[in-house]
Amino acid sequence: VTTVNNSVYAFDANDAEAAAPVWHVNFGVPANVHSTDFGCTDMNGQMGIVGTPVIDKARGVLYVVALTKTGDGAGARFAQRLHELDLATGADLPASPVTIEAAGFDALMENQRPALALANGMVYVGYSSHCDKEPYHGYLMAYDAKTLRQAAVVNTSPTGSEASIWQSGQGPAVDAEGNVYVVTG
């Protein structure tokens, strides 16, 4: 279970008596809907983990993106990081986390709303906006699932803005040949 407060919880769903989480991790102070003037409240409050994580069952890892805030007022800074967590403990694995970066990418303005996808040995991370507050772009980024090195970036509006990848909260679609599909706004 993930939360907009930047927490990830693991529960034993096979034990009806287990009420406490098996483990819990928190990645720090999340950005907030009031961190800038978005012009609406598409979310009520925190904006830490929004996109659904993806699990690599064979490797025993969970991938998740968290938006964190450091500092206050005019000194506030924001970063989005891709975490690779051990499914058994919730601990970040050695290469984790990596800061998500790309030309024109603004960690606060880009909303990691679509679910993550795992295919072709890559973790795919898509982006939309918050309340269509410009400037923003739709991005699809690919990270090597073992090293977390960024392998590819597609900006859906490189000479303009908008063109979000919403996916209705779903991850990118991947066909049998490994082709990746997304829908833009």
Side-chain angles (χ1 to χ4, degrees):
V1 176
T2 61
T3 75
V4 292
N5 289 317
N6 272 342
S7 285
V8 181
Y9 296 87
F11 292 94
D12 184 348
N14 294 316
D15 183 353
E17 302 297 317
V22 175
W23 54 259
H24 164 248
V25 294
N26 183 273
F27 301 121
V29 177
N32 186 285
V33 72
H34 302 292
S35 294
T36 192
D37 180 13
F38 287 112
C40 75
T41 52
D42 64 341
M43 296 183 181
N44 294 326
Q46 310 296 26
M47 305 183 313
I49 299 170
V50 178
T52 302
V54 66
I55 292 174
D56 183 338
K57 189 174 177 183
R59 290 189 56 230
V61 298
L62 178 143
Y63 300 94
V64 63
V65 173
L67 169 57
T68 56
K69 174 186 172 189
T70 57
D72 288 314
R77 299 282 179 251
F78 302 91
Q80 293 202 32
R81 292 181 181 88
L82 174 61
H83 292 265
E84 180 184 33
L85 305 180
D86 182 300
L87 268 179
T89 66
D92 271 302
L93 295 178
S96 175
V98 294
T99 301
I100 295 175
E101 299 174 310
F105 183 83
D106 182 320
L108 180 60
M109 300 307 288
E110 314 303 340
N111 183 0
Q112 203 287 293
R113 185 170 289 224
L116 303 183
L118 182 64
N120 309 315
M122 300 288 164
V123 178
Y124 294 96
V125 183
Y127 284 90
S128 62
S129 69
H130 292 286
C131 299
D132 293 335
K133 175 75 173 182
E134 294 193 35
Y136 68 90
H137 301 278
Y139 285 94
L140 183 63
M141 301 183 192
Y143 289 84
D144 184 287
K146 291 183 180 173
T147 66
L148 294 189
R149 283 191 210 116
Q150 191 179 70
V153 175
V154 174
N155 178 340
T156 59
S157 57
T159 60
S161 67
E162 303 178 3
S164 288
I165 299 172
W166 290 97
Q167 295 294 116
S168 297
Q170 302 297 310
V174 183
D175 68 17
E177 286 80 40
N179 297 302
V180 179
Y181 300 89
V182 294
V183 178
T184 63

